[in-house]
Each structure stands twice: as C-alpha cells, then as structure tokens.
Amino acid sequence: MESTKKDETLKALVIVDMTNDFVYETYEYEGTLYEGKLVAPLGKEIVDKIARLIIKVVKGGTVSVLRLPKDHPNAFMNPELELKISEMGINEVFMTGLVEEVCVYINSLGFLERGFRTNIVKGCTAPFDEGKGREAFSELMECGAKMVDDIPDDIKVILLLEDEHDENSEEIKSGEWPPHNMKGTPGAMTVKPIRDMLEGRYS
C-alpha cells in the first residue's frame, strides 16, 4: 500500500485483544473444549458488533489486515507496530476491543501521544470494571480522543493488536496476571466470528 500524500488521511480499524482467553469462559477448538484464562465478562457482547464493522470495511474495497502480537499491555512495546503504521501512512484510528481500562486505554493513549486522530467506537469496547472503563474513557477524551457512533466508509487497514505471551513475558513477571502460557495456544487466537470475517485477508 502506498504512503498517504500530504493532508490525506489513511484510517485504520484497530481491534484489541479479541482472543479466546479474553472473551469466552469456555470455547471449542478442533473438537477440544478449553477454558478462558482472563475473561472480560462483557467481551462476548461486542464480538458480533466488531464482526459487523469488519464486514463494512471489507465491502469498502481493498483492505490490508495486519496482526501484531504483544507481550505487554502497550502494543507499542513491539517496535514493529510503529514501523508498520509509519510505512503505511496511517494517521487516524478507530479503537475497538478489550479491555477499556487497560489495553484499549493504554493503546489509545499511545496513538494520541504520537499525534494520531484517535476515535473510540461506542458499543465496540468492553471493560473488566465498568466504573474504571468510564474513568479511562473520560481521561482519553480529555487527551483528545473522540467517541464515535460508527466508522467511516473509507477505512483501508484492519489492525489486530493481540496478547501473545509466554511465562517469561513482562505481563506475567509483573504479577498482575495469573501465571499461564498463552503463546501458541488456542487461547491466543482471535475469536472465531471475527477470525472468519478476516479469513485469508492477513498481509
């Protein structure tokens, strides 16, 4: 994809941590039933809403889909994120996913700090704690983020930022998460309804 010209806006739909272990108490993969490790209770409610956004984006024409793993709540700790979005010329993002007061908050702030127009799509994020989620969004709006009811028709990039860590990751070593190994497991996979919408579209 070519870089944007001056004053052009290249928009990206950002989907944060919509993976099995964060969304479902139990889920099936290749005939085996698994238990989610870090379930956000309201996560299930936004799966179909995000899938519908993907349908809207894909219907708009040619779309690049990128998946970048992270072993830290801040996806910018993976230097590939900044490199990719700079190469592509992305300058506006529409945030969705989990969870409002942690990864959605931290990564929205990361985009804001780097000068991106940052939008949060109403009804397409979920918290662990609803009160903390409201506080996080209030702070983000003070920092310049906007709450929007829908996404525009001209989004050209879908960006998946997803937890994929092992027992040596910063997240686990911090003691803030229960010890478990997510990397390479079905728990780290994008939930099936969203994965199905993206099937064959990774670049």
Side-chain angles (χ1 to χ4, degrees):
M1 181 177 289
E2 296 181 1
S3 297
T4 54
K5 298 176 183 177
K6 188 177 180 181
D7 298 327
E8 263 190 306
T9 299
L10 182 64
K11 303 178 180 74
L13 175 65
V14 180
I15 304 172
V16 182
D17 285 337
M18 292 301 293
T19 58
N20 288 322
D21 269 1
F22 280 98
V23 175
Y24 298 124
E25 288 86 359
T26 58
Y27 57 91
E28 184 179 344
Y29 178 70
E30 294 187 347
T32 300
L33 199 63
Y34 295 87
E35 292 186 5
K37 302 289 187 181
L38 297 166
V39 177
L42 299 175
K44 293 186 293 293
E45 297 180 10
I46 64 173
V47 172
D48 289 341
K49 294 175 183 178
I50 293 175
R52 285 194 290 272
L53 294 182
I54 294 168
I55 293 170
K56 180 176 181 178
V57 171
V58 171
K59 283 183 176 178
T62 303
V63 177
S64 294
V65 181
L66 304 174
R67 180 187 183 275
L68 294 177
K70 59 190 181 71
D71 71 350
H72 187 281
N74 183 358
F76 285 96
M77 295 291 284
N78 179 349
E80 190 178 357
L81 173 58
E82 203 142 13
L83 178 64
K84 289 289 188 183
I85 57 181
S86 176
E87 283 179 350
M88 300 183 80
I90 296 166
N91 49 25
E92 183 168 9
V93 294
F94 292 79
M95 305 295 294
T96 67
L98 299 172
V99 293
E100 290 174 358
E101 69 272 35
V102 187
C103 292
V104 173
Y105 167 77
I106 291 169
N107 291 292
S108 295
L109 202 58
F111 282 109
L112 286 165
E113 288 171 344
R114 289 163 175 81
F116 288 81
R117 299 173 193 170
T118 303
N119 307 280
I120 299 165
V121 186
K122 294 178 185 177
C124 291
T125 61
F128 278 129
D129 179 287
E130 292 185 65
K132 290 180 179 178
R134 286 191 294 271
E135 289 175 10
F137 281 1
S138 177
E139 185 176 332
L140 287 171
M141 285 186 285
E142 288 177 7
C143 293
K146 293 182 179 179
M147 302 294 296
V148 296
D149 293 315
D150 200 358
I151 59 172
D153 295 327
D154 58 346
I155 288 179
K156 295 300 181 186
V157 180
I158 297 174
L159 180 59
L160 296 164
L161 304 179
E162 296 185 330
D163 242 25
E164 188 180 276
H165 53 257
D166 60 25
E167 67 275 9
N168 296 312
S169 73
E170 288 186 37
E171 226 172 48
I172 299 303
K173 286 182 175 179
S174 72
E176 296 176 5
W177 297 100
H180 66 286
N181 186 335
M182 184 182 281
K183 192 168 185 177
T185 72
M189 295 181 70
T190 312
V191 295
K192 191 174 187 302
I194 292 175
R195 198 166 71 242
D196 287 348
M197 293 299 103
L198 298 169
E199 191 76 357
R201 300 195 64 86
Y202 290 104
S203 63

